[in-house]
Amino acid sequence: MRSFFITATDTGIGKTTLTCAISNAARSLGIDVGVMKPFATGIAQKNGPKSADVELLVKYSGVTDSESLINPYFFPIPTSPYRAAKQLGQKIEIESVLNCFEKLQTMHDCVLVEGIGGILTPILKDYFVADLIKDLNLGTVIVAGNKMGSANHTMMTLNICKKYGIRVLGLVINQTDPDGYDLTDLEDDLVLLSGVEILCKIPHIQSGDIKLVTEILQQNSVISRL
């Protein structure tokens, strides 16, 4: 399995759950998977990694890598890295993120890199998540929700990938809204509109059941397809 980036059409769509499930499924096949979340924001945890997302990534991948490699930048403000760094008077060095990724690449068979927010979440004034994916030279899996407007958000995300020359490895549709788009209808629309492969559909799951999502990935042979 090659290294790739996990992004989404919005924040709160299920990137962390999917990344954990992919690493969990790959690990069960004997693949040594590294994980990375270059930027994380939010309320810092008192114990363990500062980011709750990073704690989950470590748990389900089984890695023992240092927090500084997995998560080079954590900001204790729930906003974009650009806004958080600006408010805290801190400087973001993209080169240090790229160096951490390269080091993780030498330590594992592949590395799953989880983004923050959507593909145009700002990291620097003129530097977005899309720029980071491009600089890492990775393909991407896109997680799409199913609320009304999801087709629009997904097509915009795909257009940004096309503009940046980012290879889209596939879409995962996550039922974030039980009253939103029917998953099969949304899948049909996105395939016809974009031609991009749907890797799997995840039904509405309470509290992000990573074990169940892992089983869905296995049933759909997602790891072998990636």
Side-chain angles (χ1 to χ4, degrees):
M1 192 169 76
R2 59 199 155 184
S3 298
F4 58 88
F5 198 100
I6 295 91
T7 190
T9 56
D10 201 351
T11 190
I13 298 295
K15 294 187 301 296
T16 300
T17 296
L18 180 66
T19 307
C20 288
I22 292 174
S23 62
N24 193 28
R27 184 182 176 194
S28 71
L29 295 174
I31 302 172
D32 180 359
V33 180
V35 289
M36 186 180 188
K37 188 174 178 73
F39 300 94
T41 62
I43 299 172
Q45 298 192 122
K46 294 181 179 179
N47 300 304
K50 291 184 286 291
S51 166
D53 288 350
V54 170
E55 182 174 36
L56 286 172
L57 292 175
V58 169
K59 175 181 177 181
Y60 285 95
S61 64
V63 300
T64 57
D65 306 326
S66 69
E67 183 180 355
S68 61
L69 274 180
I70 298 171
N71 178 217
Y73 287 97
F74 175 82
F75 300 104
I77 301 175
T79 186
S80 70
Y82 168 70
R83 168 53 54 186
K86 190 172 181 180
Q87 285 185 216
L88 295 170
Q90 297 181 18
K91 186 177 182 181
I92 293 174
E93 298 284 356
I94 298 300
E95 192 63 31
S96 68
V97 173
L98 302 182
N99 289 339
C100 287
F101 173 72
E102 289 303 323
K103 186 168 183 179
L104 286 170
Q105 284 261 82
T106 67
M107 299 162 62
H108 302 280
D109 296 335
C110 62
V111 181
L112 307 182
V113 184
E114 183 195 338
I116 183 169
I119 202 162
L120 285 182
T121 294
I123 296 171
L124 302 173
K125 182 178 180 294
D126 297 307
Y127 192 94
F128 305 89
V129 167
D131 293 282
L132 179 61
I133 301 172
K134 186 70 174 176
D135 284 348
L136 290 169
N137 194 28
L138 294 175
T140 188
V141 170
I142 299 170
V143 187
N146 76 310
K147 68 180 182 181
M148 291 301 157
S150 290
N152 173 59
H153 296 157
T154 304
M155 294 306 297
M156 287 194 296
T157 299
L158 290 169
N159 282 340
I160 291 296
C161 288
K162 184 177 180 179
K163 175 183 176 182
Y164 276 79
I166 296 168
R167 184 184 176 199
V168 177
L169 304 176
L171 292 169
V172 171
I173 302 174
N174 187 20
Q175 190 178 23
T176 53
D177 182 356
D179 299 316
Y181 261 109
D182 175 83
L183 295 189
T184 300
D185 289 347
L186 182 57
E187 177 182 24
D188 290 345
D189 289 349
L190 291 178
V191 168
L192 288 172
L193 290 167
S194 72
V196 175
E197 180 181 12
I198 308 298
L199 296 171
C200 68
K201 303 186 294 292
I202 301 172
H204 188 65
I205 300 171
Q206 295 294 332
S207 304
D209 188 334
I210 294 169
K211 181 180 178 182
L212 179 54
V213 177
T214 300
E215 292 172 357
I216 292 170
L217 297 180
Q218 292 168 332
Q219 290 163 6
N220 288 272
S221 303
V222 170
I223 303 304
S224 62
R225 291 158 68 192
L226 289 171

